[in-house]
Amino acid sequence: MIIDRAEVIVTSPDRNFVTLRLTTDDGLVGIGDATLNGRELAVVAYLAEHVVPLLLGRDAHRIEDTWQFLYRSAYWRRGPVTMAAIAAVDMALWDLKGKSLGVPVYQLLGGASRTGLLAYGHASGKTTEEIFDSVRAHQEQGYRAIRVQTGVPGLKSIYGIASNATFEANKGVRYDHEPAQRGALPAQEDWDTRSYLRHVPTVFEAVRNEFGPEVPLLHDAHHRLTPIQAASLGKSLEPYDLFWLEDCTPAENQEALRLVRQHTTTPLAIGEIFNTVWDYQQIIREQLIDYVRSAVTHTGGITHLKKVLDYASQYQIKSGMHGPTDISPVGMAAAMHLGLSIHNFGIQEYMKHGEKTDRVFQQSFTWEDGMLHPGEKPGLGVELDVDEAGKYPYQQAYLPYNRLHDGTVHDW
Ligand code: EZ4
Ligand code: CO
């Protein structure tokens, strides 16, 4: 099974996606997700210029060796661009191995540890009424666990709060297919931490009163708080029994989580912008988090994220893999195979892709009763329709960013 073709395919059906497509001498095709939201073309260049030439002629069965070769031979280690590129190769190789042996990837990882993956969706609204509608719409779509993001009085727009237009377009589900806005510059939003900290607990109180004690509720603070503010938020949310509080501080400072932990029992989830086990070293060893947020796509693929999660399992820390729409259906499939097989699966984030995306990527996963399953097709179970992909060329698009009232750029 020698790799004799490697192509990098960029497509923008509902948003941008980067896919690596490997073809072997025996005619098998494997695909991997390399999408890095807002920096897509950097990964395209990394792959096309520096990785594709290394792959041609290699034995596609040698997954671990290829991972080590790409990581160590570059000399420059870690970083989101490098690790997304390696992730795409790794996913494509697992896809190929599954196809060559006729089994789904989760079987290669040890087989199923459960019957399906509990998944959560994104409810949001500017007002409590809008949030209630959005939670209800998610429950009607089968979601059993729900992230709640709220508008804040005095702030015009906040990332993660879907607009009315997307509410209509998505048939009552208030989430964005494309929170990254198309255009040459990132949109500017405003932020005020004191208003946010006052408002959020009132929203969770209302949601708990309306929907009862059972439904797992999650919240994403999106790196915006200082350690002491995060500690205060965790404490004020304790009565509402959150499943987790996500990205409460900008976690490149791993030590900051010690302070948060000393003050609150609200479970913490961190890591969607981490890319290697080294980003997690201290917070796993000191048990400063409860859930690992990394996506397969941004953490060096199945091979590396499995090692991170195996390390986390020694400390009863579970997976909570990132699954917004900027993870392509290929990256989502990889997450499902990994999540099904590991013992320390926690929850899977799952936002539905748009209809155009589903036509470009033919998928075999199932969504029943709030649970995901990757399906039984050999490999990852996703096929890329290259002709369909060709209809949607790349479009420049960026995530928004924040400024405080006095114009200071804020953590985002
Ligand atoms: O900001 O996917 O938990 N989910 C999130 C996401 C991320 C985007 C980044 O590309 O925080 O909405
Ligand atoms: Co997040």
Side-chain angles (χ1 to χ4, degrees):
M1 196 166 65
I2 300 300
I3 301 168
D4 64 17
R5 244 177 116 187
E7 302 147 277
V8 186
I9 295 161
V10 184
T11 181
S12 193
D14 298 288
R15 61 181 313 144
N16 292 314
F17 296 112
V18 178
T19 310
L20 177 70
R21 185 174 186 263
L22 303 181
T23 310
T24 64
D25 57 351
D26 33 15
L28 292 175
V29 173
I31 53 177
D33 179 22
T35 309
L36 187 62
N37 199 5
R39 294 293 184 271
E40 294 89 353
L41 299 186
V43 191
V44 171
Y46 190 108
L47 280 168
E49 303 292 333
H50 303 296
V51 175
V52 163
L54 304 178
L55 295 177
L56 302 177
R58 287 186 70 84
D59 177 358
H61 272 303
R62 298 182 65 184
I63 299 177
E64 179 71 27
D65 181 70
T66 302
W67 196 98
Q68 300 297 343
F69 168 61
L70 293 178
Y71 185 77
R72 293 172 201 284
S73 70
Y75 185 67
W76 309 104
R77 300 182 184 195
R78 309 164 64 179
V81 175
T82 297
M83 298 310 287
I86 295 178
V89 176
D90 186 74
M91 272 183 242
L93 294 182
W94 282 105
D95 192 26
L96 283 169
K97 193 183 284 288
K99 283 172 176 164
S100 77
L101 299 173
V103 291
V105 167
Y106 78 82
Q107 295 291 10
L108 300 173
L109 300 173
S113 286
R114 57 194 51 78
T115 54
L117 307 171
L118 177 67
Y120 74 91
H122 288 197
S124 70
K126 291 195 184 70
T127 64
T128 310
E129 291 70 47
E130 282 185 8
I131 292 170
F132 285 3
D133 286 352
S134 181
V135 171
R136 256 180 230 112
H138 277 82
Q139 289 183 326
E140 279 157 21
Q141 294 214 350
Y143 282 101
R144 291 209 236 153
I146 298 174
R147 186 183 93 160
V148 175
Q149 300 301 111
T150 174
V152 173
L155 298 184
K156 283 188 289 297
S157 64
I158 297 184
Y159 176 71
I161 316 297
S163 67
N164 286 329
T166 59
F167 181 70
E168 301 302 329
N170 301 333
K171 301 179 188 71
V173 176
R174 203 173 278 278
Y175 59 67
D176 280 310
H177 285 311
E178 192 180 31
Q181 292 171 25
R182 296 185 180 207
L185 295 171
Q188 184 183 312
E189 298 183 340
D190 52 353
W191 185 248
D192 183 305
T193 301
R194 292 187 69 233
S195 312
Y196 167 81
L197 290 178
R198 272 197 309 277
H199 187 64
V200 171
T202 67
V203 169
F204 275 91
E205 182 182 18
V207 171
R208 267 287 170 238
N209 287 340
E210 181 73 12
F211 295 96
E214 282 300 324
V215 56
L217 296 175
L218 303 86
H219 180 68
D220 191 348
H222 231 282
H223 327 268
R224 288 172 179 146
L225 309 177
T226 65
I228 201 69
Q229 290 167 341
S232 158
L233 179 63
K235 213 167 169 179
S236 62
L237 291 174
E238 278 171 22
Y240 316 114
D241 186 27
L242 261 59
F243 186 94
W244 79 37
L245 171 62
E246 173 181 346
D247 284 335
C248 60
T249 58
E252 54 264 49
N253 179 10
Q254 298 189 22
E255 258 177 48
L257 274 299
R258 280 188 191 156
L259 191 145
V260 184
R261 264 300 207 224
Q262 280 161 15
H263 291 282
T264 182
T265 55
T266 293
L268 303 177
I270 296 267
E272 70 182 43
I273 64 170
F274 288 0
N275 46 70
T276 67
V277 71
W278 308 107
D279 298 321
Y280 285 101
Q281 192 174 27
Q282 182 178 6
I283 55 177
I284 289 179
R285 192 182 58 234
E286 295 187 24
Q287 305 182 66
L288 301 179
I289 56 168
D290 300 281
Y291 296 93
V292 165
R293 284 288 287 146
S294 277
V296 175
T297 307
H298 302 138
T299 317
I302 291 172
T303 296
H304 191 68
L305 186 51
K306 180 162 164 43
K307 291 176 185 178
V308 176
L309 291 170
D310 286 345
Y311 174 41
S313 75
Q314 313 310 317
Y315 299 91
Q316 293 172 287
I317 297 169
K318 296 185 177 185
S319 72
M321 286 178 242
H322 197 204
T325 52
D326 48 284
I327 305 294
S328 90
V330 188
M332 286 301 295
M336 291 183 221
H337 286 280
L338 182 56
L340 197 69
S341 65
I342 55 173
H343 177 250
N344 57 329
F345 170 80
I347 199 166
Q348 175 62 52
E349 183 178 27
Y350 170 51
M351 292 172 83
K352 291 179 183 171
H353 283 113
E355 283 162 23
K356 283 186 257 169
T357 301
D358 289 343
R359 279 199 296 278
V360 171
F361 296 94
Q362 283 131 29
Q363 298 154 67
S364 62
F365 77 93
T366 58
W367 166 244
E368 269 166 42
D369 199 20
M371 309 290 273
L372 293 164
H373 189 288
E376 300 299 340
K377 288 235 177 86
L380 293 172
V382 182
E383 298 306 324
L384 174 69
D385 183 330
V386 177
D387 294 334
E388 197 64 23
K391 292 182 189 169
Y392 307 107
Y394 167 78
Q395 297 201 26
Q396 206 171 9
Y398 294 106
L399 287 157
Y401 78 109
N402 280 323
R403 283 184 192 273
L404 305 179
H405 294 316
D406 70 357
T408 308
V409 174
H410 190 62
D411 284 313
W412 190 80

